[in-house]
């Protein structure tokens, strides 16, 4: 941990140097491209000092994460966002309560912070890659040993042996036979041999151990031994109860293993996704939808008498029913809630067939997104009849309703779009939907949206009828 702290301090010192260079360079740039934005900025060293003070305050609250060994890029982006936002607040507070900065141009503050966010994010990603490469070349390594002979230990071994994380797995202590050849080759002895081995080898930083529940005394002894020898001890619970991703939470200090990881249960993730949905749907409904609505309405009325919109009850978040809005693409019929559209479906009129192939009929669902019934990205909502049928035929089918249904989703951009004539097609769709729920990130949503747009432009035929 001391090494991580030193790295964190090193990142802070580097940040202050780069921030100084950035503010001076940005000031000179704005003098050339927008002189009015630097009016009343006469003492640039004091401006640099204020920015460094504001950054230092924010860094105390949101220190760097790049030095951590196991961290996702999404977490780095969130941390940079938090750091820059708090920095903006601190710098604004200092500037607007200080008499020397009474006339400080707000445009410079806004544009400098926006540019610094991009600059800092780029810096963090570059530093992260440098650090990962450094660790992959056996620098900044931690010496660890693993104890136990269970599937959970195998899984942890597969993670820790990845070179970029910087773990040097010295060896294993376990009893009985081991089916993993890599672990067997590094066996140092049985679980009873640990203490004698550690008294001779003092260079171990961390121990990860799995012990059966009847060996509580062994766990306590191991914990005390590690505390007295400056070794961090991590107990590995038996998390191979379920297959797939899991999440460990705590209820009043008691560890509870959840069946799966669900990032969208976290309040901040849920809020970020909802804000994006509101902004994105508002943009579509205000700037795109009105023009398409006029054209589509005329075409529908010409080719098929009846309403412009088609409302259908579908299964939403947590199994709740909502009215899904679409442009009507079929002649008015009594089977709309019972039978899926097929390739040569006689119920479709020509322009309706075109709308379905190009996804134009889904456009009104942005109203559902704005109202909160749906999200831009998520598992596609099904007819109530299909929900009732497939929930009896496919394991885990209802899991897809742990997230808001979407206009597009991971399943759709992975080839499971449109008609599902065979049960394996629906199983594939469900598998992708669950994968999305367990691995959601904001970047994943953006990738799915981009892939959806490229598919609409003709790069994917699919089964949309």
């Amino acid at each position: 941990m001391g090494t991580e702290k030193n790295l964190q301090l090193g990142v802070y010192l580097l940040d202050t140097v780069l921030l100084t260079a950035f503010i001076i360079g940005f000031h000179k740039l704005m003098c050339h491209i927008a002189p009015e934005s630097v009016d009343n900025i006469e003492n640039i060293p004091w401006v640099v000092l204020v920015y460094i003070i504001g950054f230092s305050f924010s860094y105390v609250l949101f220190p760097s994460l790049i030095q951590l060994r196991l961290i996702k890029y999404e977490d780095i982006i969130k941390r940079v966002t938090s750091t820059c936002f708090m920095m903006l607040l601190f710098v604004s507070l200092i500037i607007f309560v200080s008499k020397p900065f009474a006339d400080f141009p707000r445009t410079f503050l806004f544009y400098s912070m926006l540019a610094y966010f991009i600059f800092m994010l780029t810096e963090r990603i570059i530093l992260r890659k440098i650090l990962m490469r450094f660790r992959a070349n056996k620098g900044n390594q931690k010496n660890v040993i693993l104890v136990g002979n269970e599937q959970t230990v195998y899984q942890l071994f597969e993670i820790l042996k990845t070179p970029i994380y910087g773990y040097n797995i010295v060896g294993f202590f376990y009893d009985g036979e081991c089916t993993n050849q890599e672990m067997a080759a590094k066996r140092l002895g049985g679980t009873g041999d640990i203490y004698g081995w550690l008294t001779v080898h003092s260079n171990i930083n961390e121990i990860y151990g799995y012990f059966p529940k009847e060996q509580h005394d062994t766990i306590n002894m191991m914990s005390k031994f590690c505390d007295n020898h400056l070794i961090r001890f991590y107990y590995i619970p038996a998390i191979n109860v379920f297959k797939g991703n899991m999440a460990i939470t705590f209820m009043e200090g008691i560890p509870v293993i959840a069946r799966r990881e669900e990032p969208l249960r976290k309040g901040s993730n849920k809020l970020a996704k909802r804000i994006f949905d509101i902004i994105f749907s508002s943009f579509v409904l205000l700037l795109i939808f009105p023009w398409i609505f006029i054209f589509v309405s005329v075409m529908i009325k010409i080719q098929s008498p009846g309403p412009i919109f088609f409302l259908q009850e579908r299964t939403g978040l947590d199994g709740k029913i909502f009215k899904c809005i679409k442009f009507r693409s079929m002649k008015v019929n009594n089977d709309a809630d019972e039978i899926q559209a097929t390739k040569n479906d006689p119920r479709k009129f020509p322009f309706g067939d075109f709308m379905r192939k190009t996804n134009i009929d889904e456009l009104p669902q942005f109203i559902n997104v704005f109202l909160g019934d749906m999200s831009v990205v998520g598992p596609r909502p099904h007819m109530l009849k299909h929900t009732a049928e497939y929930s009896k035929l496919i394991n885990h089918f209802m899991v897809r309703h742990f997230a808001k249904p979407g206009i597009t989703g991971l399943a759709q951009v992975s080839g499971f779009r449109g008609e599902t004539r065979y049960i394996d097609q629906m199983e594939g769709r469900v598998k992708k939907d669950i994968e999305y729920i367990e691995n959601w990130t904001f970047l994943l949503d953006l990738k799915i949206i981009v892939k959806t747009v490229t598919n609409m432009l003709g790069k994917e035929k699919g089964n949309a009828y």
Side-chain angles (χ1 to χ4, degrees), residues 132-139 141 163-164:
M132 291 168 71
R133 179 169 292 185
F134 180 62
R135 286 171 174 160
N137 291 324
K138 301 188 182 304
Q141 290 206 321
I164 60 174

Side-chain angles (χ1 to χ4, degrees), residues 110-172:
F110 175 78
Y111 288 125
S112 65
M113 287 307 306
L114 182 61
Y116 184 67
F117 168 77
I118 299 172
F119 178 85
M120 187 180 187
L121 184 59
T122 305
E123 174 213 344
R124 286 289 190 267
I125 293 174
I126 293 173
L127 286 178
R128 177 66 179 173
K129 288 185 177 296
I130 292 174
L131 187 56
M132 291 168 71
R133 179 169 292 185
F134 180 62
R135 286 171 174 160
N137 291 324
K138 301 188 182 304
N140 183 228
Q141 290 206 321
K142 280 190 175 181
N143 295 322
V144 302
I145 60 175
L146 278 75
V147 184
N149 186 16
E150 298 290 333
Q151 184 62 37
T152 358
V153 180
Y154 299 169
Q155 293 172 348
L156 182 61
F157 169 57
E158 291 298 322
I159 295 171
L160 297 185
K161 74 177 186 179
T162 306
I164 60 174
Y165 296 141
Y167 288 99
N168 174 35
I169 302 175
V170 178
F172 299 83

Side-chain angles (χ1 to χ4, degrees), residues 248-258:
I248 297 180
T249 58
F250 289 86
M251 300 177 67
E252 296 293 337
I254 300 175
V256 180
I257 300 177

Side-chain angles (χ1 to χ4, degrees), residues 37-56:
S37 67
V38 293
D39 288 343
N40 302 317
I41 299 181
E42 298 176 355
N43 196 335
I44 194 64
W46 279 104
V47 174
V48 171
L49 179 62
V50 168
Y51 274 75
I52 290 176
I53 293 172
F55 171 75
S56 299

Side-chain angles (χ1 to χ4, degrees), residues 33-253:
I33 64 174
E36 68 282 356
S37 67
V38 293
D39 288 343
N40 302 317
I41 299 181
E42 298 176 355
N43 196 335
I44 194 64
W46 279 104
V47 174
V48 171
L49 179 62
V50 168
Y51 274 75
I52 290 176
I53 293 172
F55 171 75
S56 299
F57 278 125
S58 65
Y59 195 87
V60 170
L61 296 174
F62 300 104
S64 168
L65 292 174
I66 63 166
Q67 75 282 350
L68 300 181
R69 294 174 186 271
L70 297 171
I71 193 71
K72 295 180 180 178
Y73 278 105
E74 289 79 6
D75 295 323
I76 294 176
I77 294 172
K78 289 178 184 177
R79 179 54 57 91
V80 171
T81 303
S82 301
T83 302
C84 288
F85 178 73
M86 291 306 299
M87 180 181 170
L88 175 62
L89 293 182
F90 283 125
V91 171
S92 300
L93 180 64
I94 295 171
I95 286 176
F96 297 128
V97 299
S98 303
K99 290 183 180 180
F101 295 101
D103 298 321
F104 192 86
R106 291 169 173 77
T107 51
F108 181 86
L109 175 62
F110 175 78
Y111 288 125
S112 65
M113 287 307 306
L114 182 61
Y116 184 67
F117 168 77
I118 299 172
F119 178 85
M120 187 180 187
L121 184 59
T122 305
E123 174 213 344
R124 286 289 190 267
I125 293 174
I126 293 173
L127 286 178
R128 177 66 179 173
K129 288 185 177 296
I130 292 174
L131 187 56
M132 291 168 71
R133 179 169 292 185
F134 180 62
R135 286 171 174 160
N137 291 324
K138 301 188 182 304
N140 183 228
Q141 290 206 321
K142 280 190 175 181
N143 295 322
V144 302
I145 60 175
L146 278 75
V147 184
N149 186 16
E150 298 290 333
Q151 184 62 37
T152 358
V153 180
Y154 299 169
Q155 293 172 348
L156 182 61
F157 169 57
E158 291 298 322
I159 295 171
L160 297 185
K161 74 177 186 179
T162 306
I164 60 174
Y165 296 141
Y167 288 99
N168 174 35
I169 302 175
V170 178
F172 299 83
F173 290 91
Y174 59 84
D175 301 317
E177 296 296 323
C178 178
T179 57
N180 187 299
Q181 296 301 315
E182 286 186 86
M183 287 178 59
K186 285 194 170 190
R187 186 174 186 267
L188 300 174
T191 54
D193 302 321
I194 300 174
Y195 304 106
W197 189 90
L198 286 174
T199 56
V200 179
H201 302 82
S202 59
N203 62 335
I204 300 302
N205 303 115
E206 298 175 351
I207 294 177
Y208 295 83
Y210 168 84
F211 300 90
K213 59 183 180 180
E214 61 269 15
Q215 294 186 7
H216 285 167
D217 291 340
T218 304
I219 298 172
N220 291 328
M221 288 175 59
M222 177 64 67
S223 177
K224 289 178 182 178
F225 182 90
C226 289
D227 287 345
N228 292 326
H229 290 79
L230 290 177
I231 300 172
R232 283 189 165 80
F233 175 64
Y234 298 92
Y235 171 66
I236 308 172
I239 58 173
N240 57 337
V241 179
F242 304 117
K243 293 182 179 179
N245 294 334
M246 286 159 283
I248 297 180
T249 58
F250 289 86
M251 300 177 67
E252 296 293 337

